[in-house]
Structures are given as structure tokens and as C-alpha cells.
Amino acid sequence: MKHVSIFGKFFLLMATFGLTALALTLYQSRQTFEISRSYEALLDRDAFAALNLSQSNRSLEAARASMGDLSNDAGPHTSGTDSPQGSPVRRIMAKVVNAFGMPNNVAES
């Protein structure tokens, strides 16, 4: 380094800083791309989960409506009592309602 001019030494120092900055920029760009890709995958999974949740909610509402139709179509109580839990269909509906934690008025509709 004794025979290199001051301009050469300055240029060598600046080139080293430039290469270091370029390497750090490439590394940071790669990391940002990976974070972006991971976040997009997370959003896609969340959207898929929300879609499945809405479909299951519709299925649950359809099942609740069908249970209501069954309880209305059950006809007179076969056990001879006037309680809302008298028919076998209503007893089964009450068990389903209790198992899934649905509101109690579902078994009575």
C-alpha cells in the first residue's frame, strides 16, 4: 500500500464501502421478499379459513332450520305430555342444542 497514491487509497476505501452497501442491499431485498411472500401465504390461509367458516355457518343455519321444521312436523306428542320435550324429535333436538351450545329457543321453534 506504500506505492499506491492517496487517490487510489481513497478509491479502494470507497469501493469497499460500495460493495458492502450493495451486499447489504441485496440481503435486505431478499429478506423483504421472503417476508412479503410469507405474509401473502398467511393472508391466503386466513381467507380460506374465513370462507370455510362462512360455509359452515350456512350449513349450521340450514341444520337449525331443518330441526325447526322437524319439530313442527312431528305432530302430536307421542308421550302423552304437553311439555315441549315430549316428542322423540324434540328430545333429540334438545340434546343436539345442548351439545353444541346453541340457544335454548332452537329446540322450541
Side-chain angles (χ1 to χ4, degrees):
M1 288 296 263
K2 285 184 176 184
H3 302 297
V4 179
S5 68
I6 191 77
F7 180 73
K9 291 178 185 176
F10 179 75
F11 181 74
L12 186 61
L13 182 64
M14 286 301 171
T16 304
F17 284 147
L19 289 176
T20 304
L22 181 63
L24 288 174
T25 301
L26 291 175
Y27 174 76
Q28 186 62 36
S29 297
R30 183 174 170 266
Q31 292 298 320
T32 303
F33 176 74
E34 289 296 320
I35 290 170
S36 175
R37 192 175 58 82
S38 299
Y39 186 67
E40 287 174 6
L42 176 67
L43 289 178
D44 288 343
R45 280 186 296 224
D46 284 348
F48 184 70
L51 178 65
N52 284 341
L53 185 62
S54 66
Q55 288 173 347
S56 65
N57 188 30
R58 283 192 300 254
S59 297
L60 179 63
E61 289 298 322
R64 290 173 74 180
S66 296
M67 286 191 307
D69 290 343
L70 280 175
S71 68
N72 290 336
D73 293 342
H77 301 296
T78 57
S79 66
T81 64
D82 287 337
S83 71
Q85 301 297 324
S87 73
V89 172
R90 288 182 188 244
R91 284 194 303 267
I92 293 170
M93 283 180 48
K95 287 181 183 179
V96 170
V97 166
N98 289 334
F100 287 107
M102 294 179 195
N104 287 335
N105 61 355
V106 173
E108 298 170 2
S109 60

